[in-house]
Every structure is written in C-alpha cells, then in structure tokens.
Amino acid sequence: MRPAPASRPTVVVTRKLPGPVEDRLEREFATRLNRDDHPFTAPELQEALRGADALLPTVTDRITTEELSVEPLRARILANFGVGYNHIDVHAAKARGLVVTNTPEVLTDDTADDAVMLMLMVARRAGEAERHVRSRQWTGWRPTHMLGTRVSGKTLGLVGMGRIARAVATRAHCGFGMRVVFHDPYPPPPALAAELGAEQQSSLDAVLREADFVSLHCPATPETRHLIDTERLALMKPTAFLINTARGDIVDEAALVAALKEQRIAGAALDVYEREPQVTPDLLTMENVVLLPHLGSATQETRVAMGLRAFENLQAFFSGAPPRDRVV
Ligand code: 8YV
C-alpha cells in the first residue's frame, strides 16, 4: 500500500494578495485566504497563530507579545509580505520559536521611484496644482502662476543608506544632477558610495543642515522613533523639504505640523504616517504637503514579486531548507 501523502502545511494569508500569488499559495499549501480583504483583528491573528502552521502577514497586522502569547501556538513561521517588519515583535516571535522572514530587494526600485515622485511633487507643487485644475479654478497660463522650487542640481540628504536610499541616490545623481549627502550608522563601503556620487557626512545633523531635500530611509526601530523631532526639524533650511517613504514613526508628526505651520521648513511629502491609516488632521489642510497612502511598493509587478518571495520563504521553510530572507 502506498503511504498517504503528508498533509500540506496550513497557511493563513491576512490580506488579499495579487491573483498569481494567491494561486501559487493555493497550489502548494492548505491556504486560507482573506477574500473580503478586511484587516485582521487581534483575536483573528491569535486564532491564526493557534490554527495554522504559518502566517503571511502584512504591515496592517500588529503582532505583539500579546498576540504571540497564545496557547497552544501552532504557527512556526511568519512570512511577512514587505521588507519592513516593525509591526512584528521579532524578539517575542523568536522567544516562542517562530521564524520570521521578509521580502527585501524586490521592492527597492519602486520605493525609490516613489521617493523621487514625492520629491518632484512637493517641489513643483503637483498635488496643489492638480487640485487647482480639478476644482476648475485655473483661469489660464501666467508667468507667476504656481511657481515651485527647482530640483535639478540641488542637494539631497539621505537618512540611512541601505538598498532603497542607494537607488534614490542613483536616480537623483544621474537623473537630476543632484549632490547627494548621507548619514548611516552602518555606512556602505566608501567605494560604493563614491560610485553613487554620494558623500558621507559625519552626523545626521550635518545632513539635515546641508540638504535641500531630506529623504528618510532608515528602518523603524526603538532608536529611530521620532528621530526627526522638533530639534532636528529646526536644523533643516527654511527652504528645505522632508520626504518620508520609510515609516511614519520616524517622524514626530506633531513636531512636523508645528514646523510647517511656523514655516520653519518649506514642505513635506509623506507616504507613511505615525498612526496609519490616520493622518494628523492639520496635514490634510496644508497645500505644501503631499500625502500618499503608503504606495511605495504599490505596482502590479512588485506586489506579485513580494508575494512570490514570501511564498518562496514558506516553501523553503516547510521543505526543511533555510528560508532566504530570515530575519530571526
Ligand atoms: C509594503 C513597505 O507595501 O515593504 C515594506 O516595508 O512598507 C511596503 O512596501 C507593506 O509593508 C506591505 O506589508
């Protein structure tokens, strides 16, 4: 008699994923999809941790010590959909014997494009101008209408110099002839920075003082929470713009609102927020602020690639091989 096939691992997918990713997951695993795409509640996450071998979560799932304290815990891996995993308490996960993986590299270019788009939008007043046309206020061309700020040739300050920052540096330096300065406590080798035309600064404060555009590219950790606060915003030029495609809690949003109101900086372009999906109401009223709904990796191509990368991590794990993108 042939042995019965080993039962397939059960995987709970917490949000709706692109079709090709869901198909792939369903072919390989006993997959539970989130058909109506509702954000999971804490009890739902706990239920999944109790009832499945793996979770494929996203940034909208807060997986803290509390969620991870379930008994009995069945899940053995959290295959995160996304490179950032600050929504997962990885120490608590590790303590409970869970493996955590992420999806680096595949979203680098699209997120860098998003940062450049935000820089151009805020400098050239694109959001404000679009609202102007759509609300039928445009009365025609005139030499002094909606003048913005030139991007080409200006100085871009990068906070963090990982993969996404380096892709932004290339675009800014090669595409816009910008001078690129950066600070990272773990900087890339000098030869690599030189290749990108990027100059390392001795401190974050030096970057903030020099830059016409400050773009944030550090991970969200306890150390980087409110890294950009009242004091750091005060170091920026009154003509400078802040761009954030990293994580909302790197910026003290209340301090940012105050700096914008008092015109201590020229504007801000944000893709991420401290309390997503809530946005500090004052920001919604400011014309010199561009607000996007966490779109960094939001292209068809990248979201499929992220899903397949999470799938590959699960596949490796359940076949007994080390997953490529293990973070703990
Ligand atoms: C994702 C992101 O869309 O990968 C990240 O860290 O911020 C985004 O690109 C999101 O995290 C998906 O969970």
Side-chain angles (χ1 to χ4, degrees):
M1 219 168 75
R2 296 227 313 263
S7 67
R8 299 186 305 163
T10 300
V11 177
V12 169
V13 181
T14 68
R15 298 307 298 258
K16 188 167 174 49
L17 298 181
V21 180
E22 292 193 341
D23 291 349
R24 194 83 188 80
L25 284 161
E26 282 196 300
R27 278 205 299 277
E28 183 87 7
F29 303 114
T31 305
R32 295 190 200 145
L33 298 174
N34 179 352
R35 304 243 180 238
D36 65 8
D37 200 21
H38 67 281
F40 268 31
T41 60
E44 279 177 298
L45 286 170
Q46 289 186 322
E47 185 47 40
L49 288 162
R50 266 194 299 264
D53 301 299
L55 260 66
L56 197 159
T58 76
V59 71
T60 58
D61 303 304
R62 272 179 52 75
I63 305 182
T64 67
T65 320
E66 199 186 324
E67 281 76 35
L68 289 162
S69 66
V70 292
E71 291 297 347
L73 173 69
R74 172 170 163 191
R76 292 162 55 214
I77 175 169
L78 305 175
N80 186 53
F81 181 90
V83 67
Y85 49 84
N86 59 308
H87 51 287
I88 300 173
D89 184 333
V90 289
H91 301 295
K94 189 178 176 190
R96 296 237 54 198
L98 279 153
V99 165
V100 181
T101 60
N102 69 344
T103 62
E105 292 150 9
V106 290
L107 46 67
T108 301
D109 283 326
D110 286 344
T111 308
D113 291 351
D114 189 49
V116 172
M117 172 170 73
L118 283 171
M119 176 169 69
L120 289 167
M121 283 181 78
V122 74
R124 298 300 299 270
R125 302 171 63 176
E128 183 186 354
E130 242 252 338
R131 287 190 288 278
H132 183 73
V133 174
R134 283 182 189 273
S135 61
R136 301 185 188 280
Q137 288 177 63
W138 188 34
T139 54
W141 185 89
R142 49 201 194 275
T144 56
H145 187 216
M146 277 212 179
L147 305 186
T149 301
R150 176 183 298 162
V151 169
S152 294
K154 295 286 176 63
T155 298
L156 172 64
L158 298 171
V159 178
M161 200 52 171
R163 278 183 288 259
I164 296 171
R166 298 201 290 263
V168 174
T170 305
R171 285 155 174 73
H173 187 65
C174 303
F176 298 95
M178 297 180 88
R179 176 180 174 226
V180 179
V181 298
F182 72 93
H183 179 261
D184 191 319
Y186 308 99
L192 180 57
E195 216 172 277
L196 302 168
E199 302 162 32
Q200 185 178 341
Q201 303 290 300
S202 56
S203 66
L204 167 61
D205 292 1
V207 170
L208 297 174
R209 282 196 197 94
E210 288 273 316
D212 299 305
F213 297 90
V214 172
S215 190
L216 305 180
H217 299 286
C218 50
T221 62
E223 293 75 40
T224 62
R225 187 179 139 71
H226 288 186
L227 184 72
I228 304 300
D229 58 6
T230 305
E231 288 72 37
R232 294 247 164 70
L233 286 163
L235 298 175
M236 289 174 62
K237 299 179 190 179
T239 50
F241 297 89
L242 180 73
I243 294 139
N244 190 6
T245 54
R247 280 293 180 268
D249 45 10
I250 299 168
V251 177
D252 178 344
E253 228 164 78
L256 175 64
V257 166
L260 288 163
K261 275 189 178 163
E262 292 158 25
Q263 296 176 17
R264 284 185 274 114
I265 65 170
L270 309 175
D271 193 47
V272 288
Y273 306 87
E274 252 195 282
R275 289 166 290 275
E276 292 181 18
Q278 288 169 50
V279 177
T280 302
D282 280 326
L283 291 171
L284 300 169
T285 67
M286 295 176 178
E287 290 288 18
N288 56 342
V289 173
V290 174
L291 304 168
L292 297 183
H294 201 145
L295 290 183
S297 62
T299 66
Q300 188 66 33
E301 294 89 336
T302 285
R303 290 286 165 84
V304 170
M306 288 164 71
L308 294 179
R309 188 83 170 230
F311 166 80
E312 283 163 24
N313 286 320
L314 288 169
Q315 201 181 33
F317 178 81
F318 286 114
S319 68
R324 177 176 175 186
D325 305 311
R326 183 170 178 168
V327 294
V328 293

